[in-house]
């Protein structure tokens, strides 16, 4: 079993300040924004429209033959964009809520100590105006998203103003503000979350503007891609966001990746350790990974074929689904990822093993923490545990032990939510089960 190092959890020196921030988020942001847009199109719009058209009263069975049956109207791109605008409104309301922490994070009291009273009041007035504008955008988009899609002069003006407002904010975030000193895990999560939110808002209101100008036809039915493609889209979106956070963490060496290394990290290798893709090495053992990966992939295929025959012979759908899970894990988790690791090591990239012989685990903690789905464990440790721990310990003065416990609890909660998003959302049923 290979040693599993966790470099991203090491504490960084308090006086450390990175070099001036470069435009290091452009490529990842594009990947993540496309994923979020797809999720909004395929998931949010579909769920909002279908739930809004579910009958709340059961018909009387005696009158069923007499009453005409109506089919639900098909989901169109118009409904999808309405859902996306409502989601944007909720995001802006959340932004107004978390804005209360900005004076504390940026230490306004200390920074304004030597500023003239007039300038201080002007700054506070401007901040209040921005807060009210964001609140207005959030209320309008959350409770009246259809009003932005009406082809009228007013909707065009409002959509254009919101689009330009958030588009300019994206440019300011990337090219004007230097927030490199906010390099602790929870601060990095906040920065990246803000960047993603601003980009998403610009995209959504840009589409609303194009539609209100009559240049975008939304009265077209959305094709139903099915649960498995939907799950694939969700996994891409979640993993892209998590990888963006991981690659931004201290000592991850993510910013040192070449363009090709960043492509491998975001689009090829599902692991969460970008340092393995910094440089190519020679003499790496790769044939064992290919051999073991091929063996488990074939075992998974045979297992799945056997499950199919059992299902055809009378095994129930629920039982067949449970029996098929080990075969799917052998094909993709243990076999497919091991094959991918072998190919990357063949070309000189010393990537980690993501499923480290799970059957050899001697305890549940070893199974879940050190052997099963190392990428997911790394993601939890590097992002959720580290962010909660540093926020509580360094900013709020919570003891190290309690901060670590809170971080672990947050990782479990985040893991449950991510599994809910990745498993129940694709089928649009069984929430919380």
């Amino acid at each position: 079993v290979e040693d599993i190092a966790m470099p991203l959890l090491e504490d960084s020196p308090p006086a450390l300040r990175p070099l001036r921030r470069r435009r290091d988020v452009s490529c990842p942001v594009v990947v993540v924004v496309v994923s979020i847009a797809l999720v909004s199109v395929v998931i949010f719009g579909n769920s909002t429209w279908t739930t809004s058209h579910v009958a709340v009263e059961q018909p009387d069975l005696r009158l069923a033959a007499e009453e005409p049956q109506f089919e639900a109207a098909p989901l169109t791109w118009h409904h999808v964009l309405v859902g996306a605008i409502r989601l944007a409104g909720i995001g802006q309301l959340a932004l107004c809520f978390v804005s209360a922490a900005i004076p504390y994070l940026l230490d306004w009291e200390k920074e304004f100590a030597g500023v003239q009273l007039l300038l201080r009041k002007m700054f506070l007035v401007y901040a209040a105006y921005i807060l009210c504008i964001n609140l207005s955008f959030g209320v309008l988009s959350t409770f009246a998203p259809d009003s932005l899609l009406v082809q009228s002069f007013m909707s065009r003006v409002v959509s254009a103003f919101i689009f330009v407002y958030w588009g300019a904010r994206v440019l300011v975030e990337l090219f004007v503000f230097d927030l490199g000193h906010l390099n602790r895990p929870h601060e990095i999560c906040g920065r990246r979350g803000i960047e993603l939110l601003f980009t998403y808002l610009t995209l959504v209101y840009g589409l609303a503007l194009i539609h209100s100008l009559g240049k975008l036809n939304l009265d077209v039915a959305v094709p139903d891609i099915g649960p498995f493609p939907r799950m694939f889209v969700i996994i891409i979106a979640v993993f892209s966001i998590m990888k963006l956070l991981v690659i931004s963490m201290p000592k991850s060496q993510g910013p040192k990746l070449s363009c090709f290394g960043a492509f491998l990290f975001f689009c090829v290798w599902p692991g969460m350790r970008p340092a393995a893709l910094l440089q190519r090495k020679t003499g790496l053992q790769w044939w064992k990974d290919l051999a073991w990966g091929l063996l488990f992939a074939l075992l998974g295929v045979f297992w799945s074929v056997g499950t199919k025959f059992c299902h055809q012979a009378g095994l129930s759908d629920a039982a067949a689904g449970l029996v098929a899970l080990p075969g799917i894990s052998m094909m993709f988790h243990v076999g497919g990822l091991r094959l991918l690791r072998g190919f990357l090591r063949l070309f000189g990239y010393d990537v980690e093993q993501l499923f480290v012989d799970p059957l050899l685990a001697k305890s549940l903690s070893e199974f879940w923490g050190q052997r099963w789905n190392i990428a997911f464990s790394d993601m939890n440790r590097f992002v959720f545990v580290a962010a909660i721990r540093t926020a509580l310990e360094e900013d709020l003065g919570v003891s190290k032990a309690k901060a670590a416990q809170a971080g672990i609890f947050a990782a479990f909660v985040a893991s449950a939510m991510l599994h809910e998003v990745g498993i129940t959302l694709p089928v649009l049923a069984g929430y919380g089960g």
Side-chain angles (χ1 to χ4, degrees):
V1 178
E2 301 179 2
D3 294 334
I4 300 176
M6 289 177 281
L8 303 188
L9 288 179
E10 299 179 7
D11 295 328
S12 56
L16 181 63
R17 180 185 177 94
L19 296 176
R20 184 173 180 86
R21 183 177 165 213
R22 301 175 298 172
R23 288 174 285 176
D24 58 332
V25 300
S26 301
C27 179
V29 163
V30 170
V31 175
V32 176
V33 168
V34 170
S35 302
I36 292 176
L38 290 175
V39 170
S40 299
V41 167
V42 179
I43 303 300
F44 188 82
N46 195 20
S47 61
T48 53
W49 177 247
T50 42
T51 55
S52 63
H53 286 73
V54 175
V56 295
E57 296 182 1
Q58 297 296 331
D60 190 346
L61 296 179
R62 296 171 299 179
L63 302 178
E66 303 177 3
E67 295 180 354
Q69 300 296 325
F70 297 98
E71 295 183 359
L75 174 70
T76 65
W77 293 108
H78 178 89
H79 306 127
V80 171
L81 187 54
V82 168
I85 293 175
R86 183 174 286 113
L87 181 61
I90 295 174
Q92 289 168 103
L93 294 178
L95 179 64
C96 294
F97 178 78
V98 300
S99 295
I102 293 179
Y104 172 77
L105 292 175
L106 300 182
D107 200 358
W108 283 7
E109 183 177 358
K110 177 182 177 181
E111 297 296 333
F112 289 157
V115 179
Q116 296 181 3
L117 180 61
L118 177 60
L119 294 179
R120 189 188 315 169
K121 290 184 176 181
M122 289 177 61
F123 181 87
L124 295 177
V125 169
Y126 294 155
Y129 267 98
I130 294 175
L131 180 63
C132 292
I133 291 175
N134 295 345
L135 180 62
S136 301
F137 291 167
V139 171
L140 174 64
S141 301
T142 303
F143 299 103
D146 287 291
S147 63
L148 295 175
L149 298 180
V150 178
Q151 295 185 3
S152 65
F153 177 77
M154 180 61 70
S155 64
R156 293 166 187 166
V157 171
V158 175
S159 298
F161 177 68
I162 302 177
F163 167 71
V164 173
Y165 180 89
W166 289 118
R169 188 62 180 83
V170 171
L171 297 179
V172 169
E173 185 73 18
L174 294 179
F175 301 105
V176 178
F177 287 167
D178 180 14
L179 303 178
H181 62 286
L182 301 176
N183 62 343
R184 294 178 296 174
H186 62 286
E187 295 171 339
I188 291 174
C189 290
R191 284 168 46 195
R192 297 312 186 212
I194 289 295
E195 291 166 355
L196 292 174
L197 176 61
F198 291 166
T199 309
Y200 174 78
L201 296 176
T202 304
L203 174 64
V204 168
Y205 291 111
L207 293 175
L209 174 61
I210 296 174
H211 174 69
S212 64
L213 292 172
K215 304 297 183 180
L216 182 62
N217 182 21
L218 299 177
D219 296 325
V220 180
V222 178
D224 185 7
I225 63 175
F228 280 103
R230 199 178 290 125
M231 177 183 293
F232 184 70
V233 170
I234 293 176
I235 291 175
I236 289 178
V238 172
F239 253 66
S240 298
I241 294 174
M242 293 299 106
K243 281 179 171 286
L244 176 60
L245 294 176
V246 168
I247 204 175
S248 306
M249 289 295 170
K251 299 184 179 180
S252 71
Q253 303 185 55
K256 297 181 181 179
L257 285 176
S258 62
C259 293
F260 185 70
F263 169 77
L264 291 177
F265 182 71
F266 278 94
C267 303
V268 177
W269 180 240
M272 291 289 178
R273 299 176 187 176
L277 302 172
L278 281 177
Q279 57 184 358
R280 298 172 64 179
K281 301 179 181 179
T282 58
L284 295 178
Q285 192 178 71
W286 53 269
W287 63 269
K288 286 186 177 180
D289 291 295
L290 292 180
W292 281 108
L294 182 61
L295 174 62
F296 279 104
L298 291 176
L299 288 176
V301 171
F302 292 144
W303 186 290
S304 300
V305 171
T307 303
K308 180 179 180 180
F309 281 120
C310 293
H311 182 253
Q312 292 175 346
L315 189 65
S316 65
D317 293 344
L322 291 176
V323 173
L325 288 178
I328 295 174
S329 292
M330 282 189 286
M331 275 192 296
F332 298 104
H333 294 155
V334 182
L337 292 178
R338 192 74 181 266
L339 282 171
L340 180 58
R341 184 192 189 224
F343 280 114
L344 287 176
R345 289 173 67 86
L346 174 62
F347 289 100
Y349 295 103
D350 190 15
V351 295
E352 70 276 14
Q353 185 175 337
L354 299 183
F355 289 82
V356 190
D357 304 324
L359 297 179
L360 300 181
K362 298 179 180 179
S363 64
L364 286 176
S365 61
E366 181 184 353
F367 177 84
W368 291 114
Q370 301 178 22
R371 293 183 178 273
W372 184 262
N373 202 349
I374 300 303
F376 197 83
S377 300
D378 288 343
M379 178 182 68
N380 279 329
R381 286 190 290 260
F382 299 161
V383 178
F384 301 111
V385 175
I388 297 297
R389 189 190 67 182
T390 55
L392 293 179
E393 182 181 349
E394 299 179 12
D395 285 350
L396 300 180
V398 178
S399 65
K400 188 174 183 179
K402 292 183 178 179
Q405 293 174 356
I408 295 175
F409 177 76
F412 275 104
V413 174
S415 176
M417 295 179 64
L418 290 174
H419 279 84
E420 187 83 358
V421 169
I423 296 176
T424 58
L425 268 185
V427 297
L428 302 175
Y431 298 102

